[in-house]
Amino acid sequence: MDLVALEEIKRLKYRYLRCLDGKDWDEFTETLAPTVRAQYGKLVFDDREQLVQFMRKHMGKMDMLTEHHCGHPEIDIDGDTARGTWQLSDTVLMPAAGYLLRGAALYEDEYVRVDGRWLISRTGYQRTFEYHVKLEDMPSFLLTANRWA
Amino acid sequence: MDLVALEEIKRLKYRYLRCLDGKDWDEFTETLAPTVRAQYGKLVFDDREQLVQFMRKHMGKMDMLTEHHCGHPEIDIDGDTARGTWQLSDTVLMPAAGYLLRGAALYEDEYVRVDGRWLISRTGYQRTFEYHVKLEDMPSFLLTANRWA
Amino acid sequence: MDLVALEEIKRLKYRYLRCLDGKDWDEFTETLAPTVRAQYGKLVFDDREQLVQFMRKHMGKMDMLTEHHCGHPEIDIDGDTARGTWQLSDTVLMPAAGYLLRGAALYEDEYVRVDGRWLISRTGYQRTFEYHVKLEDMPSFLLTANRWA
């Protein structure tokens, strides 16, 4: 078992997630292979440029507070490639639009090592469930912290 | 510190959880010792057959969307046995019954290595909290993805 | 990569979190350097005594059920010091006060190894978001388990 490569791949994923929720699209780009293919539910992307452009446009909105939490890594490494699954719990809060999303999913990723650095070469998930609620159903709802405010 | 055994035990737990939420009871069974004892709150099981039978009957329902997320592994290994704690965050959504459960718990597990493979020999948790809400309190509730639909 | 030190630091964090949610302030104290500095949002603490005293007083309340879930460790070790980030998802339930809090944050920690044992020497987080809801908005809300009841 290559424990060092395993740790490197986990860190790659954590960095990808930190940049996603932190809206840091330059560092986010560095976690992806140029030819990455991604599929999140019905959203499909054929390369890194397409994916990052979408993220900048839609996830970069200051009224979209996101939390993507991944755990349960089951990763198999084969030389300079690897594949694995993760469980995702995500929350998306849109205070101005008055809307809250909660979802659960199983991520399936592939990774490739190029010049000693692991990159995400394929990613995507299948939803277990996802639901929306309007904040108007919770009249007492109060946003007490917003990193982007 | 036996880092390989530690990684194997973590993967065992992640597999157990993936099969639980994925309702894959055949693979779920493979993670358990035949003599496994389990206690989830007030639910007690004395062996694997009893436990898996219950899961098939009650968690296999297509109207029960579950997310069991475990983290914070604190695992001590002693030869071919091990014990450890995990934190659990779980969400159970029953759209037809109109009901949402959220819980937090501390898992306490024991593991045994048989023919080189780790199995769960004892498992269970103590709730920190658990609450239910009826979906009728959130009239705007909308299920936008359901793996089992 | 020092995988053993990395595992020790992760366990230190998990222990800190288990003691926080389990309201075990004696063991909680053992995870902290005497000179620890902590900053949780606007709350600032200049040493261990101040921090633990606050926790005993405010988090020790039996009407405060907490779940602090950390994942995504990105930890860099340099000899006997280390620093790292974690993602935090937290839920605080106050059934008597009729109040629920949900938050997400990025933790930034520093660690120090003293006599072979890692301790938290600096900790704190920046909120991504935090919100409150009054339980009166969910009339069907039912607490079905409470560790402290």
Side-chain angles (χ1 to χ4, degrees), chain C residues 32-76:
Chain C
L32 304 169
T35 56
V36 66
R37 296 196 60 202
Q39 175 157 10
Y40 309 103
K42 289 171 189 167
L43 284 171
V44 181
F45 303 98
D46 291 323
D47 62 27
R48 182 171 68 187
E49 195 181 330
Q50 216 180 70
L51 171 57
V52 174
Q53 197 170 26
F54 177 90
M55 291 294 182
R56 278 187 198 277
K57 186 170 177 187
H58 293 282
M59 303 291 279
K61 288 178 187 169
M62 293 301 113
D63 184 45
M64 185 174 273
L65 307 173
T66 67
E67 177 192 60
H68 291 84
H69 193 106
C70 278
H72 306 188
E74 297 179 80
I75 295 164
D76 293 314

Side-chain angles (χ1 to χ4, degrees), chain B residues 1 3 6 10 69-76 85 87-89 102-104 106 126-134 137, chain C residues 3-4 7-8 11 14-15 17-18 21 65-70 91 93 100 137-147:
Chain B
M1 197 185 296
L3 293 169
L6 190 57
K10 289 180 191 173
H69 192 105
C70 278
H72 306 185
E74 296 179 81
I75 295 165
D76 292 314
T85 60
Q87 183 188 306
L88 167 69
S89 304
R102 257 286 281 132
L106 186 72
Q126 183 188 21
R127 282 286 191 205
T128 309
F129 63 78
E130 182 191 87
Y131 66 84
H132 298 180
V133 179
K134 289 185 187 167
D137 285 347
Chain C
L3 292 168
V4 170
E7 182 60 30
E8 288 171 345
R11 278 199 68 159
Y14 300 147
R15 191 179 176 210
L17 293 162
R18 174 173 48 75
D21 291 333
L65 307 173
T66 67
E67 177 192 60
H68 291 84
H69 193 106
C70 278
T91 297
L93 182 60
L100 179 69
D137 284 348
M138 297 175 277
S140 67
F141 179 93
L142 186 64
L143 189 66
T144 46
N146 177 348
R147 179 167 165 189

Side-chain angles (χ1 to χ4, degrees), chain A residues 74-75 89 102 130 134 137, chain B residues 11 18 67 140 142 144:
Chain A
E74 296 180 81
I75 294 163
S89 304
R102 256 287 281 133
E130 182 191 88
K134 289 185 186 166
D137 284 348
Chain B
R11 277 198 71 157
R18 174 172 48 76
E67 176 191 61
S140 68
L142 186 64
T144 47

Side-chain angles (χ1 to χ4, degrees), chain C residues 84-95:
Chain C
T85 62
W86 296 80
Q87 182 188 304
L88 167 69
S89 303
D90 55 326
T91 297
V92 177
L93 182 60
M94 300 182 70

